[in-house]
Amino acid sequence: MVTHLSKTTFKNIGLHPKLLKALKVLGYQYATPIQAQALPLLLNAQDVAGQAQTGTGKTNAFLLAILDELLTLPEVEDRQPNEPRAIIIAPTRELVIQIFEDAKQLAKFTDLKMCVAFGGADYDKQREEIEAGCDVLIGTVGRLIDYFKQDIFNFYALDCVVLDEADRMFDLGFINDIRYLFRKMPKPTERLNMLFSATLSHRVKELAYEHMNHPQHIHVEAEQVTADRVTQVLYYPANHEKLPLLIGLIQKHQPQKAMIFTNTRRQAEQVWLSLRGNDIKAGLLTGDVPQRKRIRLLDELKTGKIQMLIATDVAARGLHIDGVTHVFNFDLPEDAEDYVHRIGRTARAGAEGDAISFAGEDNAFNLPAIESYIEHTIQTADVTPELLVDIKPPMKAEPKKFKQNNNRSQGRSKHHRSNQGGSNQGYSNQQNSNRSDLSQSTSSDGNE
């Protein structure tokens, strides 16, 4: 999936010169539709609730708005190092890491400091970095609440707030935690608020009206989020043909970087063992992989140390890996929207890509809903004998079983210091114990 660029150039939007310099270095000249619509409003201090899916450029939209705000708006005179001026809340640790990396690139010519807070990583290191000084804090809700309740940081100097993928917050059951954080922040009129969601459902709009200052709604139409640069092909293999066909297609296409999606962890492990047994460099990304290895796998794919990554839908959202040329759907997803998220891993930033899907015996019945959702029929191809290559047996060794990381599971008006409520009032201790690490829950696979 790729987003067409608008005719609006970044230099005509009114961004700070340091941000324009970073955009030039990154090769960005024209804004995407969501950026062209949102940035003029945000730079004019107007709250925005945007409906936008993956690949539309929404991350850079809210990052540019935040960074411009921090570069132009005077900060609180007595602001302490552990008082961030901007908070970005995301549903998963993978998305937090991606936002963090993008923020560093856009802020490379500024003195602004970014920090992260998410589970499954060094608890003390994150805490120390936030205490040492943080302008923009990016985190999952569970770890943010944990640090907040320990007074590791506070909201006294807060200028900007972003809630990314709000619909997923509802789906994952953490919306009460989001409301808890919002209620501890300065009043909506005293900060710049941004909310982004794949759908602006009634419950998402209700959240926006409750915790934002008369937000302007922006909707990127489906026609603007197209897959016309993704070549989509569908095969109908029997179950015993799927692995020979996958390896045959890999040999035929020779992808530089690829992602292979399965519906279950067990299936992902079987594919991984088969690829390794046939001398194909691949990594395995599922819900039980600890955070350090997760980050290393993504880095190995980005740098070319591995050729492809086999993943369950834990990796379908929030990942941005430049240069992914092919996506293989070893299984058709049960959720039609997941199909769009999966193929959106390729053909990013104006590039082209291939999405190859298998409608196998166990999930071909998912196809009608997918084609209805994307509003077109996927082109089919024949499973020919030359594609069904002879393959070596899979590796016999089972993938290492990773243990869960439980190292610690526990604005505009500058007169709002009294607005921050007591850090423990109105919040259920039981809720916090269940949600102290949001990312452990969000990284699990729904079909396992």
CSV table of all heavy atoms in Angstrom, one decimal, residues 13-53:
chain,number,residue,atom,x,y,z
A,13,ILE,N,4.3,25.0,4.0
A,13,ILE,CA,3.4,24.8,5.1
A,13,ILE,C,3.8,25.7,6.3
A,13,ILE,O,2.9,26.0,7.1
A,13,ILE,CB,3.5,23.3,5.6
A,13,ILE,CG1,2.9,22.4,4.5
A,13,ILE,CG2,2.8,23.0,6.9
A,13,ILE,CD1,2.9,20.9,4.8
A,14,GLY,N,5.0,26.1,6.4
A,14,GLY,CA,5.4,27.0,7.4
A,14,GLY,C,6.2,26.4,8.6
A,14,GLY,O,6.2,26.8,9.7
A,15,LEU,N,6.8,25.3,8.3
A,15,LEU,CA,7.6,24.5,9.3
A,15,LEU,C,8.9,25.3,9.7
A,15,LEU,O,9.4,26.1,8.9
A,15,LEU,CB,7.9,23.1,8.8
A,15,LEU,CG,6.8,22.2,8.7
A,15,LEU,CD1,7.2,20.9,7.9
A,15,LEU,CD2,6.3,21.7,10.1
A,16,HIS,N,9.4,25.0,10.8
A,16,HIS,CA,10.6,25.6,11.3
A,16,HIS,C,11.8,25.2,10.4
A,16,HIS,O,11.9,24.1,9.9
A,16,HIS,CB,10.9,25.1,12.7
A,16,HIS,CG,12.0,25.8,13.5
A,16,HIS,ND1,13.3,25.6,13.2
A,16,HIS,CD2,11.9,26.8,14.4
A,16,HIS,CE1,14.1,26.4,14.0
A,16,HIS,NE2,13.2,27.1,14.7
A,17,PRO,N,12.7,26.1,10.1
A,17,PRO,CA,13.8,25.9,9.2
A,17,PRO,C,14.6,24.6,9.6
A,17,PRO,O,15.1,23.9,8.6
A,17,PRO,CB,14.7,27.1,9.3
A,17,PRO,CG,13.7,28.2,9.7
A,17,PRO,CD,12.7,27.5,10.6
A,18,LYS,N,14.8,24.3,10.8
A,18,LYS,CA,15.6,23.1,11.2
A,18,LYS,C,14.9,21.9,10.8
A,18,LYS,O,15.5,20.9,10.5
A,18,LYS,CB,15.8,23.1,12.7
A,18,LYS,CG,16.8,24.2,13.2
A,18,LYS,CD,17.1,24.2,14.7
A,18,LYS,CE,18.0,25.3,15.1
A,18,LYS,NZ,18.3,25.2,16.6
A,19,LEU,N,13.5,21.9,10.8
A,19,LEU,CA,12.8,20.7,10.4
A,19,LEU,C,12.8,20.6,8.8
A,19,LEU,O,12.9,19.5,8.3
A,19,LEU,CB,11.3,20.8,10.8
A,19,LEU,CG,11.1,20.9,12.4
A,19,LEU,CD1,9.7,21.0,12.7
A,19,LEU,CD2,11.8,19.7,13.0
A,20,LEU,N,12.8,21.7,8.1
A,20,LEU,CA,12.9,21.7,6.7
A,20,LEU,C,14.2,21.1,6.2
A,20,LEU,O,14.3,20.4,5.3
A,20,LEU,CB,12.7,23.1,6.1
A,20,LEU,CG,11.3,23.7,6.2
A,20,LEU,CD1,11.2,25.1,5.7
A,20,LEU,CD2,10.2,22.8,5.5
A,21,LYS,N,15.3,21.5,7.0
A,21,LYS,CA,16.6,21.0,6.7
A,21,LYS,C,16.6,19.4,6.8
A,21,LYS,O,17.2,18.7,6.0
A,21,LYS,CB,17.6,21.6,7.6
A,21,LYS,CG,19.1,21.2,7.3
A,21,LYS,CD,20.0,22.0,8.3
A,21,LYS,CE,21.5,21.6,8.0
A,21,LYS,NZ,22.4,22.3,8.9
A,22,ALA,N,16.0,18.9,7.9
A,22,ALA,CA,16.0,17.5,8.1
A,22,ALA,C,15.2,16.8,7.0
A,22,ALA,O,15.6,15.7,6.5
A,22,ALA,CB,15.4,17.2,9.5
A,23,LEU,N,14.0,17.4,6.6
A,23,LEU,CA,13.2,16.8,5.6
A,23,LEU,C,14.0,16.8,4.3
A,23,LEU,O,13.8,15.8,3.5
A,23,LEU,CB,11.9,17.6,5.4
A,23,LEU,CG,10.9,17.5,6.6
A,23,LEU,CD1,9.8,18.6,6.5
A,23,LEU,CD2,10.3,16.1,6.5
A,24,LYS,N,14.7,17.8,4.0
A,24,LYS,CA,15.5,17.8,2.8
A,24,LYS,C,16.6,16.7,2.7
A,24,LYS,O,16.7,16.0,1.7
A,24,LYS,CB,16.2,19.2,2.6
A,24,LYS,CG,17.0,19.3,1.3
A,24,LYS,CD,17.6,20.7,1.2
A,24,LYS,CE,18.3,20.9,-0.1
A,24,LYS,NZ,18.9,22.2,-0.3
A,25,VAL,N,17.2,16.5,3.9
A,25,VAL,CA,18.2,15.4,4.0
A,25,VAL,C,17.6,14.1,3.8
A,25,VAL,O,18.1,13.2,3.2
A,25,VAL,CB,18.9,15.5,5.3
A,25,VAL,CG1,19.8,14.3,5.6
A,25,VAL,CG2,19.8,16.7,5.4
A,26,LEU,N,16.4,13.9,4.3
A,26,LEU,CA,15.6,12.6,4.2
A,26,LEU,C,15.0,12.4,2.8
A,26,LEU,O,14.5,11.4,2.5
A,26,LEU,CB,14.5,12.6,5.3
A,26,LEU,CG,15.1,12.5,6.7
A,26,LEU,CD1,13.9,12.7,7.7
A,26,LEU,CD2,15.7,11.2,7.0
A,27,GLY,N,15.0,13.5,2.0
A,27,GLY,CA,14.5,13.4,0.7
A,27,GLY,C,13.0,13.6,0.5
A,27,GLY,O,12.4,13.2,-0.5
A,28,TYR,N,12.4,14.2,1.6
A,28,TYR,CA,11.0,14.5,1.6
A,28,TYR,C,10.8,16.0,1.1
A,28,TYR,O,11.3,16.9,1.6
A,28,TYR,CB,10.4,14.4,3.0
A,28,TYR,CG,10.4,13.0,3.5
A,28,TYR,CD1,10.7,12.8,4.9
A,28,TYR,CD2,10.1,11.9,2.7
A,28,TYR,CE1,10.8,11.5,5.4
A,28,TYR,CE2,10.1,10.6,3.3
A,28,TYR,CZ,10.5,10.4,4.6
A,28,TYR,OH,10.5,9.2,5.1
A,29,GLN,N,10.0,16.1,0.0
A,29,GLN,CA,9.7,17.4,-0.6
A,29,GLN,C,8.2,17.7,-0.5
A,29,GLN,O,7.8,18.8,-0.1
A,29,GLN,CB,10.2,17.5,-2.0
A,29,GLN,CG,9.9,18.9,-2.7
A,29,GLN,CD,10.4,18.9,-4.1
A,29,GLN,OE1,11.0,18.0,-4.6
A,29,GLN,NE2,10.2,20.1,-4.7
A,30,TYR,N,7.4,16.7,-0.9
A,30,TYR,CA,5.9,16.9,-0.9
A,30,TYR,C,5.3,16.2,0.2
A,30,TYR,O,5.7,15.0,0.6
A,30,TYR,CB,5.4,16.4,-2.3
A,30,TYR,CG,5.7,17.3,-3.4
A,30,TYR,CD1,6.9,17.0,-4.2
A,30,TYR,CD2,5.0,18.4,-3.8
A,30,TYR,CE1,7.2,17.8,-5.3
A,30,TYR,CE2,5.4,19.2,-4.9
A,30,TYR,CZ,6.5,18.9,-5.6
A,30,TYR,OH,6.9,19.7,-6.7
A,31,ALA,N,4.3,16.8,0.8
A,31,ALA,CA,3.5,16.2,1.9
A,31,ALA,C,2.5,15.1,1.4
A,31,ALA,O,2.0,15.2,0.2
A,31,ALA,CB,2.8,17.2,2.7
A,32,THR,N,2.2,14.1,2.2
A,32,THR,CA,1.2,13.2,1.9
A,32,THR,C,-0.2,13.9,2.2
A,32,THR,O,-0.2,14.9,2.8
A,32,THR,CB,1.3,11.9,2.7
A,32,THR,OG1,1.1,12.3,4.1
A,32,THR,CG2,2.6,11.3,2.6
A,33,PRO,N,-1.3,13.4,1.7
A,33,PRO,CA,-2.6,14.0,2.0
A,33,PRO,C,-2.9,14.3,3.5
A,33,PRO,O,-3.3,15.3,3.8
A,33,PRO,CB,-3.6,13.0,1.4
A,33,PRO,CG,-2.9,12.4,0.3
A,33,PRO,CD,-1.5,12.2,0.7
A,34,ILE,N,-2.6,13.3,4.3
A,34,ILE,CA,-2.8,13.5,5.8
A,34,ILE,C,-1.9,14.6,6.3
A,34,ILE,O,-2.4,15.4,7.2
A,34,ILE,CB,-2.7,12.2,6.6
A,34,ILE,CG1,-3.1,12.4,8.0
A,34,ILE,CG2,-1.2,11.7,6.5
A,34,ILE,CD1,-4.6,12.6,8.2
A,35,GLN,N,-0.7,14.7,5.8
A,35,GLN,CA,0.2,15.7,6.3
A,35,GLN,C,-0.2,17.1,5.8
A,35,GLN,O,-0.2,18.1,6.5
A,35,GLN,CB,1.6,15.4,5.8
A,35,GLN,CG,2.2,14.2,6.4
A,35,GLN,CD,3.5,13.7,5.7
A,35,GLN,OE1,3.8,14.2,4.6
A,35,GLN,NE2,4.1,12.6,6.2
A,36,ALA,N,-0.6,17.2,4.5
A,36,ALA,CA,-1.1,18.4,3.9
A,36,ALA,C,-2.3,19.0,4.6
A,36,ALA,O,-2.5,20.2,4.7
A,36,ALA,CB,-1.3,18.2,2.4
A,37,GLN,N,-3.2,18.1,5.1
A,37,GLN,CA,-4.4,18.5,5.7
A,37,GLN,C,-4.2,18.8,7.2
A,37,GLN,O,-4.8,19.8,7.7
A,37,GLN,CB,-5.5,17.4,5.6
A,37,GLN,CG,-6.0,17.2,4.2
A,37,GLN,CD,-7.0,16.1,4.2
A,37,GLN,OE1,-8.0,16.1,4.9
A,37,GLN,NE2,-6.8,15.1,3.3
A,38,ALA,N,-3.4,18.0,7.9
A,38,ALA,CA,-3.2,18.2,9.3
A,38,ALA,C,-2.3,19.2,9.7
A,38,ALA,O,-2.5,20.0,10.7
A,38,ALA,CB,-2.8,16.8,9.9
A,39,LEU,N,-1.1,19.4,9.1
A,39,LEU,CA,-0.1,20.3,9.5
A,39,LEU,C,-0.5,21.7,9.6
A,39,LEU,O,-0.2,22.4,10.6
A,39,LEU,CB,1.2,20.1,8.7
A,39,LEU,CG,2.0,18.9,9.1
A,39,LEU,CD1,3.2,18.6,8.1
A,39,LEU,CD2,2.6,19.0,10.5
A,40,PRO,N,-1.2,22.3,8.6
A,40,PRO,CA,-1.6,23.7,8.7
A,40,PRO,C,-2.5,23.9,9.9
A,40,PRO,O,-2.4,25.0,10.5
A,40,PRO,CB,-2.3,23.9,7.4
A,40,PRO,CG,-1.7,23.0,6.4
A,40,PRO,CD,-1.5,21.7,7.2
A,41,LEU,N,-3.3,23.0,10.2
A,41,LEU,CA,-4.2,23.1,11.4
A,41,LEU,C,-3.4,23.1,12.7
A,41,LEU,O,-3.6,23.9,13.6
A,41,LEU,CB,-5.3,22.0,11.4
A,41,LEU,CG,-6.3,22.1,10.2
A,41,LEU,CD1,-7.1,20.8,10.2
A,41,LEU,CD2,-7.2,23.3,10.3
A,42,LEU,N,-2.5,22.1,12.8
A,42,LEU,CA,-1.7,21.9,14.0
A,42,LEU,C,-0.8,23.1,14.2
A,42,LEU,O,-0.6,23.5,15.3
A,42,LEU,CB,-1.0,20.6,13.9
A,42,LEU,CG,-1.8,19.3,13.9
A,42,LEU,CD1,-1.0,18.1,13.5
A,42,LEU,CD2,-2.4,19.1,15.3
A,43,LEU,N,-0.2,23.6,13.1
A,43,LEU,CA,0.7,24.8,13.3
A,43,LEU,C,-0.1,26.0,13.7
A,43,LEU,O,0.5,27.0,14.1
A,43,LEU,CB,1.5,25.0,12.0
A,43,LEU,CG,2.4,23.9,11.5
A,43,LEU,CD1,3.2,24.3,10.3
A,43,LEU,CD2,3.4,23.4,12.7
A,44,ASN,N,-1.4,26.0,13.5
A,44,ASN,CA,-2.2,27.1,13.9
A,44,ASN,C,-2.9,26.8,15.2
A,44,ASN,O,-4.0,27.4,15.6
A,44,ASN,CB,-3.3,27.4,12.8
A,44,ASN,CG,-3.9,28.7,13.0
A,44,ASN,OD1,-3.2,29.7,13.4
A,44,ASN,ND2,-5.2,28.9,12.6
A,45,ALA,N,-2.4,25.9,16.0
A,45,ALA,CA,-2.8,25.5,17.3
A,45,ALA,C,-4.2,24.9,17.4
A,45,ALA,O,-5.0,25.0,18.3
A,45,ALA,CB,-2.8,26.7,18.3
A,46,GLN,N,-4.6,24.2,16.3
A,46,GLN,CA,-5.9,23.5,16.2
A,46,GLN,C,-5.7,22.1,16.4
A,46,GLN,O,-4.9,21.4,15.8
A,46,GLN,CB,-6.5,23.8,14.8
A,46,GLN,CG,-7.7,22.9,14.5
A,46,GLN,CD,-8.9,23.3,15.4
A,46,GLN,OE1,-9.4,24.4,15.4
A,46,GLN,NE2,-9.4,22.3,16.1
A,47,ASP,N,-6.5,21.5,17.4
A,47,ASP,CA,-6.4,20.1,17.7
A,47,ASP,C,-6.9,19.3,16.5
A,47,ASP,O,-7.8,19.8,15.7
A,47,ASP,CB,-7.3,19.7,18.9
A,47,ASP,CG,-6.6,20.1,20.2
A,47,ASP,OD1,-5.6,20.8,20.2
A,47,ASP,OD2,-7.2,19.8,21.3
A,48,VAL,N,-6.4,18.1,16.3
A,48,VAL,CA,-6.8,17.3,15.1
A,48,VAL,C,-7.1,15.9,15.5
A,48,VAL,O,-6.3,15.3,16.3
A,48,VAL,CB,-5.6,17.3,14.1
A,48,VAL,CG1,-5.8,16.2,13.0
A,48,VAL,CG2,-5.6,18.6,13.3
A,49,ALA,N,-8.2,15.3,15.0
A,49,ALA,CA,-8.5,13.9,15.2
A,49,ALA,C,-8.5,13.3,13.7
A,49,ALA,O,-9.4,13.7,12.9
A,49,ALA,CB,-9.8,13.7,15.8
A,50,GLY,N,-7.5,12.5,13.4
A,50,GLY,CA,-7.3,12.1,12.0
A,50,GLY,C,-7.6,10.6,11.8
A,50,GLY,O,-7.2,9.8,12.6
A,51,GLN,N,-8.3,10.3,10.8
A,51,GLN,CA,-8.6,9.0,10.4
A,51,GLN,C,-7.6,8.6,9.3
A,51,GLN,O,-7.6,9.2,8.2
A,51,GLN,CB,-10.0,8.8,9.9
A,51,GLN,CG,-10.3,7.3,9.4
A,51,GLN,CD,-11.7,7.1,9.1
A,51,GLN,OE1,-12.6,7.9,9.5
A,51,GLN,NE2,-12.0,6.0,8.3
A,52,ALA,N,-6.7,7.7,9.6
A,52,ALA,CA,-5.6,7.4,8.6
A,52,ALA,C,-5.1,6.0,8.9
A,52,ALA,O,-4.8,5.7,10.1
A,52,ALA,CB,-4.5,8.4,8.6
A,53,GLN,N,-4.8,5.2,7.9
A,53,GLN,CA,-4.3,3.9,8.1
A,53,GLN,C,-2.8,3.9,8.0
A,53,GLN,O,-2.2,5.0,7.7
A,53,GLN,CB,-4.9,2.9,7.1
A,53,GLN,CG,-6.4,2.7,7.3
A,53,GLN,CD,-7.0,1.8,6.3
A,53,GLN,OE1,-6.4,1.4,5.3
A,53,GLN,NE2,-8.2,1.4,6.5
